[in-house]
Amino acid sequence: MQSSNNIAEVVSHFECAADVGSQKAYGSGHINDTFLLKNVSAGGPDYLLQRINHKIFTNVEKLTDNMRRVTEHLKSKIREYGTGDPLKEVMTLIPTDTNKFFYQDSLGDYWRMFYFLSDTKSYDVVETPKQAYEGGKAFGKFQHMLADIPAGQVFEVIPDFHNIQKRLKNLDEAIDQDACGRVASVAAELEIVRKYAEEMQYFQQPEQVATLPKRVIHNDTKFNNVLLNANDEAQCVIDLETVMDGYVAYDFGDAIRTIINTTTEDEADLSKIQLNMPLFDAYVKGYLKEASKFLTDSEVNSLIKGALLLPYMQAVRFLTDHINGDTYFKIKFEGHNLQRARAQFQLVKMLDANATAMHQTILNEIDSYKTAQY
Ligand code: GN1
Ligand code: MG
């Protein structure tokens, strides 16, 4: 962790009244380092300071431009709808003394700062259908508010981020290099990768490429990226650094991956990984309440494919990182990425067994909107 002296240097360049002495590590992100800083005066706004992982986000200037563009767009939508408070419902980046929205310190690290949204909560494991429903509404509304930004306009911060063919290629390269001699010990996991590899390439099939629209999506719709208020109502979608073009089913799938699972992403005891179907139903209801306003039929049909793909892709990414020697995701102990991969593969197996019924739930729900229009 960075020394407080360096944080003091960093903070002095942002237009804020942050109390450097109050800094504490915050959140459960796997990539960046986040700190909560209190305001020097009681009652003033608090701040979130983030050190951006520059190895992964190599173009911080363009990343920041994206975040500015997206947050301004979302705020203007909320003003236009006249129903909410843009300052509470959208993250607000804080400018620096040179009127940029990031700062590079003397060590070469990049930082950004937001207002902290007080009286909000996020959940790593969803507890109630109401929370799931609210999460669905939040991500559906998020996609809807961005639906008028044409594809191709947002900078591709991490190329091929959700391209499973690229992720499988990265895994093959890791296997070839076997940098830490771990390949022999993951034969069972590699077998699962192979078993599903072909069907997971649905989004690369020519028919899907021709019919599915690329839209500006969130690309990291873990449930803990929705902040809920004290009444468990969705307030703000956070973690906007991977907002890029993609298929809506990717966001749907990443949300389902974290919502339907009765336990955490990295559960060691696979028997504890169960599907909580009432939470799935509630998420679908909330999501389609908003997303039925713009989804095409092919997109509706693709949602379940996203729900299978995202845990699979996540497992492939965790496994690749394990083989590479844990160079990408932060780990808490040796073997953590392998444990995460196993948990995600387990989820894939269970989702696969239930996919037909889940797809039917989606179709029934969308039908209720179609019927309601006449
Ligand atoms: C990373 O840092 P965090 O937790 O927001 C990752 C996501 C993964 C997620 C898995 C840039 O997100 O893609 O889905 O971990 N972000 C990046 O929990 O790779
Ligand atoms: Mg993220």
Side-chain angles (χ1 to χ4, degrees), residues 124-368:
D124 288 340
V125 177
V126 184
E127 292 162 2
T128 66
K130 178 177 178 181
Q131 293 164 356
Y133 175 80
E134 288 289 323
K137 255 180 34 189
F139 284 130
K141 186 173 171 195
F142 182 87
Q143 288 179 343
H144 187 215
M145 290 195 287
L146 296 179
D148 57 346
I149 299 183
Q153 290 208 357
V154 170
F155 177 71
E156 195 178 13
V157 201
I158 303 181
D160 293 313
F161 191 55
H162 279 159
N163 178 344
I164 188 60
Q165 289 176 339
K166 183 71 195 314
R167 296 294 182 184
L168 288 168
K169 195 163 160 267
N170 292 348
L171 174 61
D172 283 341
E173 284 165 11
I175 295 170
D176 285 348
Q177 285 174 9
D178 197 8
C180 305
R182 289 176 169 175
V183 171
S185 62
V186 297
E189 286 71 29
L190 292 174
E191 190 52 44
I192 309 176
V193 172
R194 270 183 228 105
K195 177 174 169 217
Y196 289 100
E198 201 181 319
E199 72 168 277
M200 291 296 172
Q201 294 178 43
Y202 174 86
F203 292 94
Q204 278 74 35
Q205 288 168 1
E207 194 194 330
Q208 313 313 328
V209 174
T211 52
L212 290 173
K214 282 264 171 77
R215 301 184 190 273
V216 178
I217 62 163
H218 184 280
N219 275 307
D220 190 10
T221 49
K222 288 202 275 202
F223 188 75
N224 61 15
N225 278 334
V226 185
L227 299 182
L228 304 177
N229 69 16
N231 299 323
D232 266 351
E233 291 151 351
Q235 180 175 320
C236 180
V237 170
I238 59 169
D239 198 1
L240 306 180
E241 59 195 351
T242 48
V243 175
M244 292 180 275
D245 290 355
Y247 296 124
V248 289
Y250 294 164
D251 277 359
F252 180 82
D254 218 6
I256 295 307
R257 175 177 84 78
T258 49
I259 285 165
I260 201 169
N261 188 352
T262 47
T263 180
T264 52
E265 173 180 81
D266 61 349
E267 176 60 56
D269 177 355
L270 299 188
S271 72
K272 287 198 185 142
I273 299 175
Q274 300 293 330
L275 302 188
N276 188 330
M277 283 303 173
L279 296 186
F280 175 77
D281 297 352
Y283 185 85
V284 167
K285 265 197 182 5
Y287 176 66
L288 291 181
K289 183 174 187 322
E290 297 291 335
S292 59
K293 296 171 186 163
F294 66 89
L295 290 184
T296 66
D297 288 348
S298 2
E299 285 180 305
V300 170
N301 283 322
S302 73
L303 294 177
I304 194 64
K305 300 292 183 187
L308 292 172
L309 174 64
L310 269 287
Y312 175 79
M313 179 149 35
Q314 199 59 67
V316 168
R317 294 175 63 193
F318 286 143
L319 185 60
T320 305
D321 200 30
H322 174 71
I323 295 173
N324 282 337
D326 310 303
T327 59
Y328 188 95
F329 296 105
K330 289 182 196 168
I331 52 166
K332 295 196 174 128
F333 51 88
E334 193 174 307
H336 197 179
N337 274 315
L338 180 58
Q339 181 172 309
R340 288 168 171 153
R342 286 180 175 149
Q344 295 300 302
F345 282 132
Q346 180 66 13
L347 207 48
V348 174
K349 283 188 209 161
M350 303 191 73
L351 288 164
D352 191 30
N354 288 277
T356 310
M358 291 165 68
H359 183 49
Q360 197 54 50
T361 302
I362 296 170
L363 295 182
N364 293 348
E365 189 59 25
I366 200 82
D367 271 355
S368 72

